[in-house]
Amino acid sequence: MGERFVVVPVDGGVGVAGEGEHSDAVVADPATDPGGGSSSSAGTVEGKETGEDSVFEAHDPNVVVPILKYNREPNKYGDGVPKENSPFINNTDNDKGNSYDGTNMALFEEEMDSNPMVSSLLNKLANYTNLTQGAQEHEEADDDEGPKKKAVKSPQMGTFMGVYLPCLQNILGVILFLRLTWIVGTAGILESLAIVCLCCSCTMLTAISMSAIATNGVVPAGGSYYMISRSLGPEFGGAVGLCFYLGTTFAGSMYILGTIEILLTYIVPKAAIFVAEKKEDEVDALLNNMRVYGTCCLALMAIVVFVGVKYVNKLALVFLACVILSILAIYAGVIKTIFEPPDFPVCMLGNRTLQNHNFDKCLKTEDIDNVTVTTKLWELFCDGPGLNATCNDYFDNNNVTLIQGIPGLKSGVISENMWSEYGPLGMKVESKMLPSNPEGDSSRDIYMPYVFNDITSFFTLLVGIYFPSVTGIMAGSNRSGDLRDAQKSIPIGTILAIATTSFIYVTCVVLFGACIEGVLLRDKFGDSVKGNLVIGTLSWPSPWVIVIGSFFSCCGAGLQSLTGAPRLLQAIARDGIVPFLQVFGHGKANGEPTWALLLTAGICEIGILIASLDAVAPILSMFFLMCYLFVNLACAVQTLLRTPNWRPRFKYYHWALSFLGMSLCLALMFISSWYYAIVAMAIASCIYKYIEYRGAEKEWGDGIRGLSLNAARYALIRLEEAPPHTKNWRPQVLVLLNVDSDQGVKHPRLLSFTTQLKAGKGLTIVGNVLEGTYLTKDAEAKRAEQNIKSSMSAERTKGFCHVVVSSNLRDGFSHLIQSAGLGGMKHNTVLMAWPGTWRQSNDPQSWKNFIETVRETTATHHALLVAKNVDSFPTNQDRLGEGTIDVWWVVHDGGMLMLLPFLLRQHKVWRKCKMRIFTVAQMDDNSIQMKKDLQMFLYHLRLDAEVEVVEMHDNDISAFTYEKTLVMEQRSQMLKQMQLSRTEREREVMYMLSP
């Protein structure tokens, strides 16, 4: 560590802190806060708080005296960056009371400062919690009594306790215990390994991208949402946060369903409320039991979380121990099968697996006292207990065989389990290694005690069911505020946890396939081994180790989901980026998210009502995959475009890994369930666009803002490479707007007209000129700019505002016309209002400025639009139900006069108006042919308009009209001669254009 000195201003005294001592004052880091930090670190410091070696002198208490303080570890006590105000964040004191005494038992060097005693390590384990920082903060608030609250300890957790164990506990769970054996038996060892490798690779690549985010600057307290949103921006942060919230909520449903499945299937099957009277009603009865018990369990867990998370916190170590002991019991059982395989026989009829519930002997008949008698198995297939009873054809034609369900590692069963055995709903679980004589009529097989497939199985379904078992990789980053060195602990702990769990899953797949008979692997609920949990039959010393361990593991995971999800929603709501969620930012006096908990319980109940773990798993897979997709995408794009504030220090990160992770996430989404994938993408896209539409007013210095800057720069450079093609030409408008003496907008209808003409597309620059010098007019310029922006917002004009201060108005407008825009994004059209009072004005400068602006526009080869009587133009709220837009096409300008009314008619204000084109012909012209030519021209332009050709004598057209347009007086006379109605004359619009 480098050495440095830090200056800390302190009220009421001065002291010199001894080496290794530190006060309660916040220490500013000059490396990260060049400004010093005096404003944020002032505080009262007493001698007893800074150590015995501190020396203080009395000073005026109103005088702030700087203390020169020696600090050997610059990154330990602060970075000068104030923390966000959030439900996850605590202000921490520098407390070293819980530091270790050594490193001889540390898994990582930074885990312990000195050699710990065994009692210290056990104390740390005893205080282990898997709750987020916000949950601990609320717990401490519950315990605080009186005006003085307990001092909050500084972050002391290292990689092992703070990241590795929480990730391990969240990743290993319900799918491992309840579905992995069935996945191996159905998909085979090879395809199961492919599923595991695909899913684990996805989470590993996402963890690498997340590590890049974690090492890109200071990691804020508040968990994964805060870390990602502050790095990627409010749009990505909101989308990722809500997807993460929904995934965590449905994960709670999955864990509760797993808890009830273990309870009703393996612990107390007789507790079922609904019992099927018919064989075909068994599935419905099971689902109804899951719904009732699941709802009760959800209500109980929600009450526990509402009463206080401290109870969940106290059980965290129990839940962790259950997971670890269950894993160890599986490996111990596998080793035991080498020497003494457990006795779990499976009864086979021919090659079909039988449910071993209602019979005790795998025999058709047996000899008792030299008398052949039938068994209970006989009665299940025959219409009576007698030897002459009529039996099922398949029962008559096939023998009963007893095989070992767990033959052990040395049995060679691995070769039989190498390949997949997919099948439809209702297919019987059969063995390829046993002989079978076919039966004639199989219509009654549903009533026989066979083991059937409860769902149609295929590869993509298994991917969706398995993926939740590799989620939970953000459990460590959720505790970022509790970590001593988050930038180091999050990457190492998360990646190591993923590597560990991936190794466990891969070895379990291979070991299950090598030790367990294939028909038992495909028996999802263990019906062939008297209702035992299949993975429990492999464990040592007893199947109950896995049953009880998995039960408490699922309970704990469900409680943690109901604890973490509401706080995540509360954090999103308090950020204010999604306004309709702000009500969920409120809670109890101690900050407990009551309303968020209610919403979470409601969404969780939706998953409970689905009642099938296999159906809920793909849903949460989609939301987690969507979350991981956004993380990988944002990291890859920021790296490729080299955004200014994207400088991750994680040395193993590369943009190609993020792109690979993004592609893998997208592929897994559509592999698992294409319709769920579309729904998840639609939800995430709607969230992103909603936050973007609402303005995303939060500015967190995120990388996406830098990404936008780079993208804009790239686009501007591309635009300048070549002039736009005629087909792509659209009016890019510079609006010359005037303000009054109070800097209020004079003609807001000009902005309305711009909105109607542009419909939010293309470039719009609203310019204004103030007369004077900027040194004296800076306040007025800023006020004018603010007023113009307010008017633009009111009139829904999307564009930019540019206020120029110039010595005179003529030069100012000239500067705007010449220099407005940037690169290829420059205006090609100037829009201004007609000077209405130029006839009455005694100042000739008003109409001279107008004429000079026209000349400037002509000189720069820009089009000029002059709106006369603009204050009578329709507003954006008006709807013109009828009328016409008349275009006097005298100057053949290539069609621009046709384009402008066409663009106007795209807006809802002018949509119902018709378009008429008038052109002037001399007496010796062929008017009929001119009309046909003009109609053909409009047809090619795909414009719907009426065409009128007006024949006039040469002396009726002024010389100026030949070059520009008809003079106003002649035009009015022509309208009268054409006997146009007064209403039509009032509604028609004239454009005067200078190319």
Side-chain angles (χ1 to χ4, degrees):
M1 291 288 184
E3 298 181 355
R4 62 173 187 165
F5 284 94
V6 182
V7 177
V8 183
V10 179
D11 293 338
V14 63
V16 180
E19 181 176 340
E21 301 293 331
H22 52 279
S23 69
D24 289 340
V26 179
V27 182
D29 187 349
T32 58
D33 186 5
S38 60
S39 62
S40 62
S41 56
T44 302
V45 179
E46 299 178 4
K48 62 182 180 180
E49 296 177 346
T50 56
E52 297 178 356
D53 296 335
S54 302
V55 179
F56 285 85
E57 297 179 4
H59 279 271
D60 187 346
N62 297 321
V63 178
V64 177
V65 182
I67 296 179
L68 184 64
K69 186 170 183 178
Y70 180 65
N71 185 4
R72 190 178 290 272
E73 299 185 13
N75 293 327
K76 188 170 183 178
Y77 302 121
D79 50 20
V81 180
K83 291 188 176 181
E84 303 263 353
N85 182 17
S86 78
F88 284 143
I89 299 171
N90 295 325
N91 293 322
T92 58
D93 296 328
N94 297 321
D95 184 9
K96 296 181 65 176
N98 289 336
S99 61
Y100 287 98
D101 299 326
T103 57
N104 64 328
M105 294 184 66
L107 182 61
F108 303 96
E109 290 184 359
E110 80 281 5
E111 180 66 32
M112 304 175 185
D113 296 331
S114 56
N115 291 334
M117 296 297 183
V118 174
S119 59
S120 300
L121 183 61
L122 293 178
N123 179 65
K124 203 70 174 179
L125 286 171
N127 293 325
Y128 168 79
T129 173
N130 195 30
L131 301 180
T132 61
Q133 186 181 5
Q136 295 179 62
E137 177 181 305
H138 298 155
E139 175 192 345
E140 291 167 356
D142 279 335
D143 292 339
D144 291 339
E145 297 180 358
K148 185 176 181 181
K149 295 186 177 182
K150 293 189 295 184
V152 182
K153 298 178 181 179
S154 61
Q156 289 294 322
M157 284 194 173
T159 304
F160 183 72
M161 298 296 297
V163 180
Y164 180 76
L165 286 183
C167 285
L168 201 70
Q169 181 179 354
N170 279 264
I171 294 174
L172 299 173
V174 60
I175 301 297
L176 170 64
F177 299 124
L178 297 184
R179 291 294 182 269
L180 189 58
T181 52
W182 173 72
I183 291 174
V184 174
T186 305
I189 295 176
L190 294 181
E191 292 186 25
S192 297
L193 288 175
I195 293 173
V196 171
C197 291
L198 275 175
C199 296
C200 292
S201 299
C202 175
T203 54
M204 179 63 79
L205 293 171
T206 303
I208 292 174
S209 296
M210 193 174 66
S211 299
I213 296 174
T215 57
N216 183 43
V218 178
V219 179
S224 301
Y225 163 69
Y226 272 83
M227 184 176 69
I228 294 172
S229 62
R230 269 54 179 176
S231 178
L232 305 183
E235 297 93 344
F236 273 110
V240 170
L242 286 177
C243 286
F244 190 34
Y245 164 74
L246 291 173
T248 305
T249 303
F250 277 103
S253 301
M254 183 185 70
Y255 293 130
I256 292 174
L257 290 174
T259 302
I260 302 305
E261 182 177 313
I262 295 171
L263 178 69
L264 295 181
T265 307
Y266 307 111
I267 299 179
V268 281
K270 294 183 179 180
I273 299 175
F274 300 92
V275 179
E277 296 180 357
K278 298 180 180 179
K279 187 76 173 180
E280 54 266 27
D281 296 333
E282 288 183 353
V283 175
D284 293 334
L286 175 62
L287 295 180
N288 289 330
N289 284 316
M290 297 288 286
R291 293 184 181 107
V292 172
Y293 276 96
T295 301
C296 295
C297 184
L298 172 62
L300 181 62
M301 289 184 176
I303 292 172
V304 171
V305 173
F306 176 78
V307 170
V309 295
K310 57 185 177 183
Y311 302 107
V312 183
N313 188 20
K314 290 178 180 178
L315 294 173
L317 184 60
V318 176
F319 301 144
L320 175 64
C322 289
V323 173
I324 295 176
L325 290 176
S326 298
I327 299 295
L328 294 177
I330 293 172
Y331 283 108
V334 169
I335 296 173
K336 185 176 180 292
T337 62
I338 301 175
F339 312 103
E340 184 183 353
D343 184 24
F344 284 97
V346 176
C347 187
M348 307 291 295
L349 177 61
N351 66 344
R352 297 177 182 179
T353 310
L354 299 180
Q355 296 184 13
N356 193 357
H357 289 298
N358 300 318
F359 62 91
D360 51 357
K361 296 180 180 179
C362 187
L363 296 170
K364 292 183 179 181
T365 60
E366 62 178 339
D367 293 332
I368 300 178
D369 297 331
N370 295 323
V371 177
T372 302
V373 297
T374 59
T375 62
K376 291 183 179 180
L377 180 61
W378 178 281
E379 298 177 8
L380 295 175
F381 286 90
C382 303
D383 59 3
L387 292 173
N388 59 349
T390 302
C391 297
N392 178 271
D393 290 342
Y394 191 84
F395 183 77
D396 285 337
N397 298 332
N398 291 273
N399 295 324
V400 175
T401 308
L402 196 65
I403 65 173
Q404 275 298 326
I406 312 291
L409 274 176
K410 295 181 178 181
S411 63
V413 73
I414 188 172
S415 60
E416 304 173 15
N417 296 328
M418 197 65 69
W419 311 106
S420 60
E421 291 285 344
Y422 300 116
L425 170 67
M427 187 186 80
K428 293 176 280 293
V429 177
E430 299 176 340
S431 173
K432 293 181 179 179
M433 307 305 295
L434 296 176
S436 175
N437 296 319
E439 63 180 333
D441 183 16
S442 60
S443 60
R444 302 288 298 175
D445 284 352
I446 187 176
Y447 301 102
M448 299 297 106
Y450 296 127
V451 178
F452 296 98
N453 283 355
D454 65 326
I455 59 173
T456 300
S457 57
F458 44 90
F459 179 80
T460 58
L461 173 70
L462 299 188
V463 174
I465 293 176
Y466 173 76
F467 188 81
S469 66
V470 298
T471 59
I473 62 174
M474 294 185 177
S477 58
N478 283 340
R479 308 166 59 85
S480 57
D482 298 330
L483 300 175
R484 185 187 306 123
D485 187 354
Q487 290 193 7
K488 187 175 182 180
S489 295
I490 290 175
I492 295 176
T494 304
I495 292 175
L496 189 60
I498 294 175
T500 303
T501 53
S502 299
F503 173 79
I504 291 173
Y505 283 127
V506 169
T507 55
C508 282
V509 166
V510 176
L511 293 176
F512 292 165
C515 294
I516 306 177
E517 186 65 42
V519 291
L520 181 56
L521 286 173
R522 295 195 298 279
D523 183 4
K524 183 185 291 185
F525 302 107
D527 292 321
S528 61
V529 285
K530 297 185 180 296
N532 278 292
L533 181 62
V534 175
I535 195 174
T537 61
L538 185 63
S539 65
W540 180 87
S542 168
W544 285 100
V545 175
I546 298 293
V547 173
I548 300 300
S550 60
F551 177 79
F552 283 108
S553 173
C554 292
C555 283
L559 282 171
Q560 289 158 14
S561 296
L562 290 178
T563 302
R567 284 161 179 80
L568 177 58
L569 180 62
Q570 185 184 49
I572 298 171
R574 288 187 175 180
D575 266 346
I577 59 176
V578 185
F580 67 84
L581 292 179
Q582 289 184 0
V583 65
F584 300 107
H586 307 292
K588 294 195 297 185
N590 65 344
E592 282 287 333
T594 306
W595 295 109
L597 178 60
L598 289 175
L599 178 64
T600 301
I603 298 175
C604 195
E605 177 64 16
I606 296 174
I608 298 291
L609 294 178
I610 295 174
S612 172
L613 189 150
D614 300 324
V616 173
I619 297 177
L620 67 100
S621 295
M622 289 304 109
F623 287 115
F624 279 119
L625 281 167
M626 198 71 238
C627 175
Y628 299 163
L629 174 66
F630 270 109
V631 172
N632 284 298
L633 173 63
C635 291
V637 173
Q638 287 190 102
T639 305
L640 278 179
L641 297 184
R642 299 178 181 178
T643 54
N645 59 348
W646 181 248
R647 297 182 297 275
R649 290 193 290 270
F650 185 60
K651 62 181 180 180
Y652 301 106
Y653 173 75
H654 192 270
W655 65 266
L657 295 177
S658 289
F659 262 117
L660 183 59
M662 178 193 69
S663 303
L664 198 52
C665 288
L666 194 62
L668 284 174
M669 289 177 67
F670 283 93
I671 287 175
S672 302
S673 174
W674 64 267
Y675 44 90
Y676 282 157
I678 292 175
V679 171
M681 293 178 71
I683 292 174
S685 300
C686 289
I687 296 169
Y688 183 94
K689 296 303 293 184
Y690 175 78
I691 298 173
E692 185 181 53
Y693 171 76
R694 290 303 300 259
E697 298 177 357
K698 298 290 183 179
E699 179 55 58
W700 294 322
D702 53 88
I704 301 303
R705 293 292 182 267
L707 174 62
S708 302
L709 178 63
N710 276 358
R713 170 183 168 275
Y714 175 78
L716 287 172
I717 293 175
R718 287 292 305 273
L719 282 175
E720 224 174 7
E721 291 178 356
H725 193 273
T726 306
K727 293 181 180 179
N728 296 326
W729 194 95
R730 288 294 182 273
Q732 315 295 345
V733 182
L734 169 63
V735 183
L736 299 181
L737 201 63
N738 292 327
V739 296
D740 55 26
S741 57
D742 295 327
Q743 284 74 50
V745 177
K746 277 188 177 180
H747 304 295
R749 296 287 180 90
L750 197 61
L751 296 175
S752 301
F753 178 71
T754 305
T755 302
Q756 297 160 18
L757 182 65
K758 299 290 294 179
K761 297 178 176 62
L763 175 67
T764 300
I765 303 174
V766 180
N768 172 254
V769 178
L770 297 180
E771 194 169 6
T773 62
Y774 188 78
L775 293 178
T776 59
K777 295 281 187 176
D778 60 329
E780 295 180 14
K782 292 177 182 177
R783 188 162 57 252
E785 183 176 0
Q786 185 61 40
N787 292 339
I788 292 174
K789 287 182 177 179
S790 299
S791 297
M792 292 174 65
S793 177
E795 301 296 337
R796 299 178 182 177
T797 304
K798 297 181 180 180
F800 307 96
C801 176
H802 193 183
V803 177
V804 173
V805 180
S806 179
S807 57
N808 58 75
L809 295 179
R810 179 186 179 280
D811 291 344
F813 285 124
S814 177
H815 294 157
L816 275 177
I817 294 171
Q818 294 179 60
S819 62
L822 178 64
M825 287 294 289
K826 295 181 71 70
H827 61 280
N828 55 27
T829 304
V830 177
L831 172 63
M832 59 190 301
W834 181 271
T837 60
W838 66 275
R839 292 179 183 272
Q840 293 79 21
S841 177
N842 295 325
D843 183 13
Q845 197 63 36
S846 60
W847 58 266
K848 287 184 178 180
N849 287 336
F850 175 75
I851 294 174
E852 291 297 332
T853 303
V854 173
R855 296 179 63 186
E856 293 278 357
T857 305
T858 305
T860 55
H861 301 286
H862 291 153
L864 176 64
L865 303 180
V866 180
K868 192 172 184 181
N869 298 327
V870 68
D871 292 331
S872 62
F873 278 30
T875 65
N876 292 326
Q877 286 72 36
D878 295 336
R879 300 292 183 274
L880 301 180
E882 58 181 358
T884 60
I885 303 175
D886 290 348
V887 178
W888 289 85
W889 197 39
V890 178
V891 180
H892 293 190
D893 57 355
M896 181 177 177
L897 274 177
M898 313 295 185
L899 176 64
L900 296 178
F902 169 77
L903 294 177
L904 274 179
R905 291 184 63 202
Q906 306 308 303
H907 197 274
K908 55 189 176 183
V909 173
W910 302 85
R911 190 165 295 155
K912 295 184 180 180
C913 294
K914 296 181 180 179
M915 180 177 167
R916 294 190 304 188
I917 308 295
F918 294 91
T919 187
V920 177
Q922 295 174 318
M923 299 303 297
D924 56 349
D925 288 335
N926 187 344
S927 301
I928 298 176
Q929 186 62 39
M930 286 180 63
K931 184 173 183 178
K932 290 182 178 179
D933 292 342
L934 185 54
Q935 287 175 338
M936 182 58 65
F937 179 70
L938 294 177
Y939 175 77
H940 289 156
L941 292 177
R942 299 182 299 280
L943 297 179
D944 182 18
E946 298 178 8
V947 176
E948 296 289 344
V949 178
V950 180
E951 294 183 350
M952 300 182 65
H953 293 282
D954 287 348
N955 55 1
D956 292 332
I957 306 175
S958 69
F960 181 74
T961 304
Y962 278 115
E963 300 176 1
K964 300 295 178 183
T965 187
L966 294 174
V967 295
M968 291 294 296
E969 292 80 4
Q970 293 170 332
R971 173 179 167 277
S972 300
Q973 185 62 31
M974 287 175 55
L975 291 175
K976 292 178 182 178
Q977 292 174 358
M978 295 173 59
Q979 298 180 348
L980 294 178
S981 67
R982 183 173 181 273
T983 303
E984 289 177 320
R985 291 201 306 270
E986 289 177 349
R987 287 199 176 113
E988 64 88 21
V989 177
M990 181 191 72
Y991 295 97
M992 300 175 62
L993 179 65
S994 176

